Amino acid sequence: MADFLFYAKIVLLVVLLYDVGILFRKPEEGSKVAKLDFWTEMERKGINALLIPSTMVFIICLDIVQEVDIYLSTALFVLSLLYLGYPRPFAFGKNGILLDGKIIAKDRILKAKKTEKGAKISIEWYGWLMEKDLPASDVTDLILEEFSD
């Protein structure tokens, strides 16, 4: 069982390293860019801002109870905090939107509408219709100008 948990942590480590790695993606040249601060990111993440670190603390507690080294679990905890709160760029350029390290191409954006906390865009994402919340910023205003009905 301990081997299974170790391999599960390795898989989680690879996923978190990938997620943290794409956060360092640079916006395209000439894009309008805004940096989202830690608290804005936590607000955008919603309940996950509490659940993800709590899960990592639980994994650390399991390691302590099982008398296993906590180095890997601690690294997962630190990576999860980095993933959640790293001040990432939010940009809008000629090719699309850079949000959470992912590029949403302009032709995938169906519409945008203003909300109390910024805007909401409807996008086609790998064949699925999806809505994404955008934080209030100058970048969001540009997106609303281009994609509002």
Side-chain angles (χ1 to χ4, degrees), residues 71-145:
Y71 301 117
L72 182 55
S73 300
T74 305
L76 290 172
F77 177 70
V78 169
L79 276 173
S80 68
L81 290 180
L82 184 62
Y83 168 71
L84 287 171
Y86 181 77
R88 58 202 77 188
F90 169 44
F92 181 60
K94 64 180 177 177
N95 292 324
I97 300 170
L98 175 65
L99 181 67
D100 292 333
K102 298 174 189 86
I103 297 171
I104 303 168
K106 278 187 176 180
D107 61 345
R108 305 252 183 221
I109 302 168
L110 306 174
K111 67 178 180 176
K113 61 182 175 181
K114 188 146 183 66
T115 62
E116 291 178 10
K117 294 184 178 182
K120 184 174 286 210
I121 58 170
S122 297
I123 59 174
E124 183 266 316
W125 195 253
Y126 298 108
W128 295 90
L129 182 60
M130 183 175 164
E131 287 191 333
K132 281 271 207 194
D133 291 320
L134 303 177
S137 71
D138 294 341
V139 175
T140 302
D141 294 340
L142 280 175
I143 294 167
L144 283 169
E145 283 177 22

Side-chain angles (χ1 to χ4, degrees), residues 4-76:
F4 174 74
L5 293 176
F6 175 75
Y7 292 126
K9 286 186 256 183
I10 292 296
V11 168
L12 186 58
L13 178 69
V14 170
V15 169
L16 277 171
L17 283 172
Y18 171 76
D19 284 344
V20 169
I22 66 170
L23 292 181
F24 293 100
R25 186 176 283 173
K26 300 281 186 233
E28 64 183 308
E29 198 76 24
S31 296
K32 178 74 173 172
V33 180
K35 282 277 194 189
L36 304 178
D37 66 2
F38 179 81
W39 294 112
T40 304
E41 283 302 325
M42 290 297 112
E43 184 178 325
R44 283 189 60 238
K45 298 300 183 220
I47 191 70
N48 287 333
L50 180 64
L51 291 179
I52 292 173
S54 299
T55 302
M56 297 304 153
V57 169
F58 179 70
I59 291 172
I60 291 171
C61 291
L62 286 176
D63 284 351
I64 291 170
V65 168
Q66 295 177 355
E67 298 178 357
V68 177
D69 288 336
I70 63 168
Y71 301 117
L72 182 55
S73 300
T74 305
L76 290 172

